[in-house]
Every structure is written in structure tokens, then in C-alpha cells.
Amino acid sequence: MTLKKLVVGNWKMNGTKADLPDIAAISDIAAHSKADVAICLPATLIESASAFAPHIAIGAQDCHANPNGAHTGCLSAQMIAECGAKYVITGHSERRQDQGESNADVKAKTQAVITADMHAILCVGESEAQRDSGEAVDIVVTQLLDSLPDMISKDGVIASISVAYEPIWAIGTGRIPSLNDVAEMHLALREALIGRYGDIGKQINILYGGSMNGANASDLMAIPHVDGGLVGGASLSAEKFGPVIAAG
Ligand code: PGA
């Protein structure tokens, strides 16, 4: 089955209101795209960007697992949804590393995103040492299985979730795995999703992330079970993101 591609920009801690015209330009490009397009922005921009960008979905990069409570500085999934977000990235390696998020934390956050009727983009990926040790596939599959929510349906409706495979050593480095290594990993992740959810696992987009850009996006997205991309640096302007969107 070929899934409709999903191309997601991850702006990380970049972007102010001065960038809204560029977000509007990305939206205009996406209006003519075959792929679904989203940008996950700093929370401060979600509401204003939603009004500026009718042809893309706006998302966040994290949320708290609880709906409310004494968690200074945190935002719940419901709060993010109220600002107009449709997507939330969970378990990005920068949060797993910098904020010490465990698979259990990521699982709880992913469930919170689904409960708030948004689309979770659950990230997994190996370190360079894990890749070099030859254990990357086993490690990443285990990470996925331990981070996936138990339930991906709500009120009988299949929830919206994607997985992003992002080798940590490829993020922001300009290096990517061989196309064969990407193919091997995505097939293993597909099998893991089917093992967990049955046929529903065939409908979950598996994105590749880590130094995807206009020059390599077509090759990466031609690989079986690469159903889109999660794009950092190359999503920060319409000029750079346009060719990635076009490849989707
Ligand atoms: P990059 O980041 O495209 O800049 O490598 C990807 C990501 O971290 O999601």
C-alpha cells in the first residue's frame, strides 16, 4: 500500500513573528503539493501561524502528558490544540537527551496528543555508537514498541499517529544513512507496527528525518515504507523547504 506522503517541518527553537510571511509562502507552495504538509513551530507562533497558513497544518514540538496541574512552564496537549495545532512531535531525540525523556514519558505524551484529537509524530532513532555496533535495528524497534501508546483509537475511531525514524547522528550534520540502511530500518518499523496494531499498522506513515533536504528528499522518499519526512534545517525557509515538499 502506498500512503499519501506527509512532509513535516520541525522549526525547533527558531522563528518569531517576523517569519510569518515565510510561513505563508510555505503554505502557498503546499497548496500545490501531492503530500500533506505541516510545520511544527515554537508554541509562541502556533496561533498566529494558523491564521497565516491555510494550506498547511501547524503543530507543536512537545506537550505535557497531563491535562493540567502544577507543572510550571509546561503546556498540555489541550492548550496546544486550543491554539490551533493539529500535530505534536513526541520523543524527539533532542528532548530525550536534553530533558531526559524516557520511552514511558514519550508513550504518555503520545497518548495525551491522541486524547486531545491531534496527530502525534513519535520520533525514534539510534546514536552513532549504536549504529556502529550493528544493533541499530533492534534498538530502534524496541524504542518504538516501548514508546507507542497501547490504544490508538478513540471512541472507535483510529487515531492519527505517525512515526519518524531519525538517526541521532544524522540530525543537523549533513550526513544520512545509506539508502539500504534506511530501507532496512523502515521495513523493520513497519513490521513492528503491524505486529502491534495488525492491519492498522499498514496505515501509519513512517517518516525519515535527519539532514533531509531538497537534494536527497526524492531518493529518500522513493524508498519503500518511507512515507514522508521530518525536516529541520531545510524547513526554515520557503526557498529550502519548497523542493522537499515537491519531492513528497
Ligand atoms: P535536520 O533535523 O533536518 O536539521 O537534520 C531534523 C530533526 O531533528 O527533526
Side-chain angles (χ1 to χ4, degrees):
M1 190 198 308
T2 308
L3 300 175
K4 186 175 186 188
K5 299 268 196 274
L6 172 62
V7 179
V8 182
N10 174 12
W11 275 32
K12 310 190 180 187
M13 200 173 71
N14 297 292
T16 63
K17 291 203 169 148
D19 296 300
L20 287 171
D22 220 30
I23 293 169
I26 291 170
S27 171
D28 289 344
I29 293 169
H32 308 289
S33 153
K34 296 193 297 292
D36 287 328
V37 180
I39 312 184
C40 294
L41 294 168
T44 46
L45 281 180
I46 291 171
E47 189 146 25
S48 41
S50 299
F52 249 77
H55 306 298
I56 57 177
I58 301 299
Q61 302 165 13
D62 176 52
C63 67
H64 198 279
N66 292 350
N68 49 49
H71 305 291
T72 302
C74 297
L75 298 173
S76 72
Q78 286 83 349
M79 292 167 181
I80 290 166
E82 194 178 67
C83 291
K86 305 286 184 228
Y87 287 74
V88 182
I89 296 172
T90 57
H92 191 282
S93 59
E94 286 154 15
R95 294 200 60 85
R96 289 179 185 265
Q97 284 177 341
D98 298 351
Q99 272 75 34
E101 290 185 6
S102 66
N103 289 333
D105 295 329
V106 175
K107 178 174 178 171
K109 288 178 181 220
T110 305
Q111 192 67 61
V113 173
I114 292 170
T115 303
D117 292 326
M118 292 183 291
H119 184 122
I121 302 168
L122 197 178
C123 301
V124 291
E126 82 282 2
S127 68
E128 186 148 35
Q130 290 167 333
R131 167 61 61 186
D132 291 346
S133 73
E135 296 168 325
V137 171
D138 286 350
I139 286 169
V140 174
V141 165
T142 301
Q143 198 184 18
L144 176 69
L145 292 174
D146 289 349
S147 303
L148 280 171
D150 298 324
M151 299 276 297
I152 56 165
S153 70
K154 194 189 161 210
D155 305 330
V157 177
I158 304 307
S160 167
I161 181 169
S162 300
V163 169
Y165 165 55
E166 297 205 308
I168 298 167
W169 53 272
I171 294 176
T173 60
R175 296 159 56 209
I176 62 169
S178 72
L179 301 185
N180 280 344
D181 284 348
V182 174
E184 180 189 34
M185 184 67 78
H186 279 243
L187 178 60
L189 294 174
R190 174 68 66 212
E191 286 169 352
L193 289 168
I194 292 170
R196 172 65 71 91
Y197 301 123
D199 277 352
I200 294 167
K202 297 179 184 166
Q203 298 164 34
I204 296 174
N205 285 59
I206 308 175
L207 317 183
Y208 170 81
S211 295
M212 184 182 267
N213 58 40
N216 61 28
S218 295
D219 287 345
L220 286 163
M221 287 199 261
I223 297 170
H225 305 295
V226 177
D227 312 305
L230 181 57
V231 187
S235 73
L236 289 175
S237 69
E239 191 189 348
K240 287 192 203 154
F241 201 23
V244 184
I245 292 171

